[in-house]
């Protein structure tokens, strides 16, 4: 059924809730693997560089953001791997999912109301509209 589950994660509380769902689903399916996709938002890289001393520190901070997500998967004894990409999160997640035979894409949502989503845009909304695979949004 869902052998390749793509979990879009950024280390936020929304991503941790999504990781719990991914871990639960994957734990029910023999041989399922969760791929954690962390898209480094290029609009935020400048801030990372200003607050870090070197490239290794930036990489370490990114990996630390994913530790709670990885812990959720480990607790359920779920096989996983981590992939880092650079770019605009919405389009990058969609492009990656569409090109990599993803069976299910799971993403957290901030729970924006209609006006906020219209004004701010929503990564989860962009993903749902353009992904060719089933998408689960976790609130």
């Amino acid at each position: 059924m869902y052998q390749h589950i793509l979990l879009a994660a950024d280390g936020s509380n929304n991503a941790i809730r999504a990781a719990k769902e991914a871990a639960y689903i994957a734990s029910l399916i023999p041989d399922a693997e969760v791929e954690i996709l962390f898209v480094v938002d290029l609009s935020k890289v400048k801030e990372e560089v200003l607050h870090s001393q070197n490239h290794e520190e930036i990489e370490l901070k990114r990996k630390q953001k994913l530790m709670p997500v990885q812990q959720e998967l480990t607790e359920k004894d779920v096989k996983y791997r981590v992939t880092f990409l650079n770019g605009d999160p919405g389009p990058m997640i969609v492009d990656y999912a569409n090109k990599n035979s993803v069976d299910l894409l799971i993403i957290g949502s901030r729970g924006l109301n209609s006006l906020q989503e219209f004004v701010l845009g929503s990564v989860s909304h962009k993903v749902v509209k353009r992904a060719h695979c089933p998408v689960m949004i976790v609130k």
Side-chain angles (χ1 to χ4, degrees):
M1 188 170 188
Y2 300 127
Q3 295 300 306
H4 183 193
I5 300 170
L6 183 64
L7 172 62
D10 59 3
S12 67
N13 288 334
N14 306 316
I16 295 168
R17 285 193 305 274
K20 288 179 184 180
E21 291 299 318
Y24 174 72
I25 292 168
S27 71
L28 299 173
I29 303 167
D31 300 323
E33 180 180 37
V34 174
E35 181 174 8
I36 303 167
L37 179 62
F38 184 103
V39 179
V40 178
D41 189 344
L42 295 179
S43 68
K44 297 178 183 173
V45 169
K46 182 178 178 182
E47 184 178 323
E48 283 182 322
V49 170
L50 291 174
H51 290 82
S52 300
Q53 297 200 356
N54 55 41
H55 181 71
E56 289 78 23
E57 185 179 344
I58 293 170
E59 292 294 318
L60 179 62
K61 286 180 181 178
R62 290 175 184 161
K63 289 177 182 178
Q64 286 174 335
K65 285 182 181 181
L66 293 181
M67 288 178 78
V69 170
Q70 292 172 306
Q71 183 177 351
E72 292 293 334
L73 298 168
T74 301
E75 286 175 5
K76 290 280 190 180
D77 199 28
V78 171
K79 183 176 155 186
Y80 71 89
R81 60 189 157 112
V82 180
T83 302
F84 287 91
L85 298 176
N86 296 310
D88 185 14
M92 290 300 293
I93 294 167
V94 170
D95 186 55
Y96 190 84
N98 290 343
K99 290 180 178 175
N100 288 280
S101 303
V102 170
D103 298 314
L104 175 65
L105 195 159
I106 301 177
I107 187 168
S109 171
R110 290 186 291 170
L112 300 177
N113 66 38
S114 299
L115 177 61
Q116 289 171 321
E117 189 171 310
F118 176 74
V119 174
L120 300 174
S122 163
V123 172
S124 59
H125 188 198
K126 291 174 187 174
V127 168
V128 167
K129 285 175 56 177
R130 295 179 180 96
H132 297 157
C133 63
V135 177
M136 175 186 284
I137 298 177
V138 179
K139 290 178 82 174

